[in-house]
Amino acid sequence: MLEDGFITVLCILFIIFFILIQNLIRYLIREPYIHIRDVTKEHNWKSINTENKAYYCSICESLLLNISGLICDSCGVCADPMCVKVADKQLMCKIITVSTNEPMKHHWIKGNLPPNIVCDICNEECDAEPGLTDWWCCWCQRCVHDDCKSELSKICDFGKFKLMIIPPSSLEVINVRNTVRRRLCLHSIISPNWSEWNPLIVVANKKSGNNDGAEILSLFRRLLNPAQVVDLSERDPVAALEWCRLLGKVTCTVLVAGGDGTIAWLLNAIHKLGLEPVPSVAIIPLGTGNDLSRVLGWGKEHDPNKDPTEILQEIQVAQKVKLDRWTVMIKPYGGLGLRNLNQTFYMYNYLSVGVDAQVTLNFHRTRESRFYFYSSRLFNKLLYLCFGMQQVVERECKDLNKNIELYLDDKRIDLPSIESIVILNIPSWAAGVNLWNMGLEGHEKYGKQSINDGKLEVVALYSSFHMAQLQVGLSQPYRLGQASNIKVKVIKSCAVQIDGEPWYQHPCEFSIKYCNKATMLVNTDRKSM
């Protein structure tokens, strides 16, 4: 018996030692630089997936079929599979860095112009005839006819989105050799001394949103310096935000394409890094709920047919707004009093305990299953509805009020027979339901909801059926109050979610306190606040 206990202790000590050594090795070999694709080697090819325009090979000038044609998503050069290697050798891609301070010249790409474009000189339609005709600058986005090209200045001014672009002359890169190969890495950023320069960093996961993430990354590589576009499937937000640190005192904007979870991930990274000045965050919604995106006017879902230049124009006129950030401390009961068992999260949208978190958890488990082959927004909504109907029958969170205690500003709140408690920071819950303000007339003792007043709104849901009624506007929530300091004691294990990220929580104590404010951008084209 003693030998078994001794062996168990040794195993635990060995595991702890192994984890410490592993983390130490990762710390010692970590690379403090941002890797950048070396565009002098080859183009960034992807399949042509459009059906409303004819494309021609930039080498042999033959008509490309959508099933086999390739296009560089950085510079717009096209090629059939047989001409790819020749194109890589003969046609330079959009360069991301130069070692000279000389004025930038246009980078002209022949043919395959954007649709419905006009000549910058004569204002007549370009690319009207079949074949490789006319020219397009992949930096300033200007287009000209063959005959008009000589009339345009040879110097490129980077066009109407100049103040969002990090010019090649501003990037200093170095070659870093690792055990496998040499890699091109960002070393520093030199300001171009442009008045009101506000560079844009685009971050997205190419695997998100049924490949919408990959398409967004490609679209913005065409409009900006490709190095400004960061794939979160290859880099975490901390590495992406290294751009903001290297920019020093220059205020930048981060455009994040993703759902509420991805946005919270990025906002957490900004907070933990303590960036100064704090970057502003704009949103392209790719998730299912997208509650924060709705509140800030960026919409409930991304329109794949929307011109990315429209998004840049919206960002240019967007207004800054502050968003309350809340610290959520979870202290589990038991655990021999070990402090390291405590967990700390940050909340931006809402926290819920009970039936709506259970529905979200069931949906989340199904979506991550290896058997989850088909995915679309409509299918996800139907699946979510099915799990909601399941809870109407099973009622796993029945009598939650007997297994939970709620304190608002240190005052215990009496709870009716409920199945969920929702703590709100923004006026959107469960894909767009303005929960707190539903039927607020007649409840003068409660104030209006705001995303930056240092207060949270707390409501209760009677059941899964009540949740469904709220989503179609046929009922009202049970308001429990507003507070700046909230404590929740969970006596029996149940489902919990923070900003759409669910898990099954054992008995614990939640402590929710005001932390500080995040800086967001409000799309004034769609919303006035």
Side-chain angles (χ1 to χ4, degrees), residues 161-439:
F161 302 119
K162 171 181 177 178
L163 298 180
M164 292 183 168
I165 295 173
I166 300 178
S169 60
S170 290
L171 293 183
E172 285 191 346
V173 299
I174 59 173
N175 282 313
V176 176
R177 183 184 294 276
N178 59 20
T179 55
V180 180
R181 59 179 177 175
R182 297 178 69 182
R183 306 188 72 167
L184 194 65
C185 298
L186 178 64
H187 181 262
S188 62
I189 302 175
I190 303 171
S191 174
N193 293 321
W194 293 342
S195 178
E196 299 182 357
W197 185 45
N198 183 241
L200 177 69
I201 308 300
V202 180
V203 297
N205 188 330
K206 66 181 180 183
K207 300 177 182 178
S208 298
N210 304 323
N211 205 43
D212 285 346
E215 188 62 26
I216 286 170
L217 291 171
S218 292
L219 290 173
F220 285 99
R221 288 191 190 103
R222 294 283 295 272
L223 296 173
L224 306 170
N225 189 326
Q228 295 173 241
V229 182
V230 183
D231 184 358
L232 290 179
S233 69
E234 300 175 354
R235 300 272 170 246
D236 63 18
V238 173
L241 292 171
E242 181 69 7
W243 282 95
C244 302
R245 188 187 69 79
L246 291 174
L247 284 166
K249 296 182 179 180
V250 177
T251 303
C252 69
T253 299
V254 179
L255 174 61
V256 54
D260 289 327
T262 303
I263 297 167
W265 191 22
L266 181 80
L267 292 175
N268 289 344
I270 292 174
H271 170 63
K272 292 176 181 178
L273 289 174
L275 295 174
E276 287 292 343
V278 179
S280 303
V281 178
I283 301 170
I284 296 178
L286 293 186
T288 303
N290 299 317
D291 288 291
L292 186 56
S293 176
R294 296 168 190 262
V295 170
L296 298 177
W298 298 105
K300 61 181 181 179
E301 62 184 32
H302 171 60
D303 180 4
N305 297 316
K306 185 173 183 178
D307 190 332
T309 60
E310 294 181 23
I311 298 175
L312 294 184
Q313 290 169 354
E314 290 173 349
I315 293 174
Q316 283 181 328
V317 299
Q319 295 179 357
K320 291 183 181 181
V321 66
K322 295 296 183 179
L323 172 69
D324 287 339
R325 178 186 283 115
W326 297 86
T327 301
V328 181
M329 177 83 68
I330 301 179
K331 181 181 179 181
Y333 293 140
L336 303 178
L338 297 177
R339 289 187 177 183
N340 59 355
L341 294 178
N342 295 349
Q343 293 178 290
T344 301
F345 299 90
Y346 296 99
M347 182 188 75
Y348 303 90
N349 298 357
Y350 53 83
L351 179 153
S352 64
V353 181
V355 65
D356 64 321
Q358 184 65 55
V359 172
T360 304
L361 179 61
N362 292 340
F363 169 74
H364 189 75
R365 286 172 173 172
T366 301
R367 191 170 56 177
E368 291 191 340
S369 168
R370 68 181 68 180
F371 303 107
Y372 187 73
F373 299 112
Y374 180 74
S375 176
S376 71
R377 288 188 178 89
L378 179 59
F379 181 76
N380 287 341
K381 290 177 181 179
L382 291 174
L383 187 63
Y384 196 91
L385 176 62
C386 290
F387 285 124
M389 296 293 290
Q390 178 186 9
Q391 288 303 312
V392 172
V393 178
E394 296 184 358
R395 300 192 67 187
E396 295 181 53
C397 302
K398 182 181 178 182
D399 296 329
L400 179 70
N401 53 292
K402 297 179 181 179
N403 302 308
I404 198 170
E405 294 179 9
L406 174 68
Y407 298 83
L408 302 184
D409 291 331
D410 299 323
K411 179 182 178 182
R412 183 171 179 177
I413 304 300
D414 293 329
L415 300 174
S417 179
I418 59 172
E419 291 189 17
S420 182
I421 287 178
V422 184
I423 301 170
L424 299 158
N425 185 43
I426 64 173
S428 183
W429 164 84
V433 179
N434 193 345
L435 197 58
W436 178 258
N437 294 318
M438 297 179 70

Side-chain angles (χ1 to χ4, degrees), residues 4 32 48 64 97 145 168 189 242 327 388 461 471-472 481 483 525 527:
D4 292 342
I48 295 175
L64 297 174
T97 178
H145 293 114
I189 302 175
E242 181 69 7
T327 301
L461 311 180
Q471 289 177 319
V472 294
D525 281 2
K527 180 180 181 65

